[in-house]
Amino acid sequence: MAKTNTGAKAVKLSKPTHIIVTPYNGDAKGTEVYDLDDVVRDTVSVSQDDNETNDIERETSDTPILSIITTGKYQFAAEVADTQADVLKALCDFTVDTDGKMYAPSTYKTKYCEVAVVFEQNSKNIALILPKLQLNSKTTIESLNSNLAKVALAGTAQLAEITLKDASTKIKVPFYIDPDYTLPE
């Protein structure tokens, strides 16, 4: 049995350098890219819900016949202290008219985006990527004397088809890590 000491190669992700959001245009990833600069510290999270277990019980003992485990969904959240028209339109589905007035949506409309949380380590960019996030964002306008109006950017990852490096293999995933991410221009 071979023993591997992981300490020398440990990848520790802390203090993201970029939060890149690319809204979808219909069913495909769009061409507009937002490098969100005014993200409130310690509000970014990429988390997986707990797995769900459904046991098929055995009549003759307390040991289940089979445990069916369903993987928990991936969630993203961040607070963006930027309420400019483009951000509200892209992330919260606001309508912006020609004189600059911004109108909140009256009903939920399904919107998707790709989110990349980027970290710099050893002169490389490592990114946590949610390739198709179903947005559930909202505006938070409260405590304005001691706080800021914000966009509570949030969503649940959906499956997206990804082509692997060999270009012949495609897989569907809700989340992946790119150890050599290239920042968009």
Side-chain angles (χ1 to χ4, degrees), residues 16 18-19 35-44 76-82 153:
H18 298 273
I19 311 295
D35 188 347
L36 301 176
D37 192 42
D38 293 317
V39 177
V40 178
R41 178 172 285 178
D42 292 332
T43 64
V44 176
F76 173 80
E79 289 187 9
V80 182
D82 184 353
L153 180 60

Side-chain angles (χ1 to χ4, degrees), residues 81-93:
D82 184 353
T83 55
Q84 64 178 287
D86 288 349
V87 171
L88 289 175
K89 184 176 178 183
L91 305 180
C92 297
D93 202 35

Side-chain angles (χ1 to χ4, degrees), residues 115-128:
V115 173
V117 180
V118 184
F119 303 85
E120 189 176 314
Q121 189 173 69
N122 300 326
S123 301
K124 288 173 102 176
N125 290 315
I126 298 172
L128 308 177

Side-chain angles (χ1 to χ4, degrees), residues 22-176:
T22 308
Y24 271 58
N25 187 2
D27 291 332
K29 193 167 67 165
T31 56
E32 291 183 25
V33 177
Y34 297 90
D35 188 347
L36 301 176
D37 192 42
D38 293 317
V39 177
V40 178
R41 178 172 285 178
D42 292 332
T43 64
V44 176
S45 68
V46 176
S47 60
Q48 184 179 12
D49 292 344
D50 290 339
N51 293 342
E52 196 172 296
T53 302
N54 182 19
D55 289 336
I56 307 300
E57 300 294 339
R58 187 181 308 265
E59 189 71 36
T60 58
S61 77
D62 291 337
T63 305
I65 296 170
L66 176 68
S67 292
I68 299 170
I69 300 173
T70 305
T71 304
K73 297 175 187 170
Y74 283 88
Q75 307 289 340
F76 173 80
E79 289 187 9
V80 182
D82 184 353
T83 55
Q84 64 178 287
D86 288 349
V87 171
L88 289 175
K89 184 176 178 183
L91 305 180
C92 297
D93 202 35
F94 270 58
T95 299
V96 180
D97 70 15
T98 54
D99 67 356
K101 290 181 184 162
M102 298 170 272
Y103 302 92
S106 59
T107 59
Y108 175 78
K109 177 182 165 192
T110 304
K111 290 183 77 81
Y112 298 101
C113 69
E114 177 184 88
V115 173
V117 180
V118 184
F119 303 85
E120 189 176 314
Q121 189 173 69
N122 300 326
S123 301
K124 288 173 102 176
N125 290 315
I126 298 172
L128 308 177
I129 299 176
L130 299 133
K132 188 174 184 182
L133 186 74
Q134 182 177 351
L135 290 174
N136 186 17
S137 302
K138 64 180 182 178
T139 53
T140 306
I141 303 170
E142 60 189 12
S143 303
L144 295 179
N145 193 36
S146 61
N147 211 331
L148 291 169
K150 295 181 276 267
V151 172
L153 180 60
T156 302
Q158 305 297 314
L159 289 179
E161 190 170 79
I162 304 297
T163 303
L164 300 182
K165 190 173 184 178
D166 67 9
S168 65
T169 306
K170 294 183 180 198
I171 60 173
K172 288 187 175 185
V173 297
F175 168 75
Y176 67 98

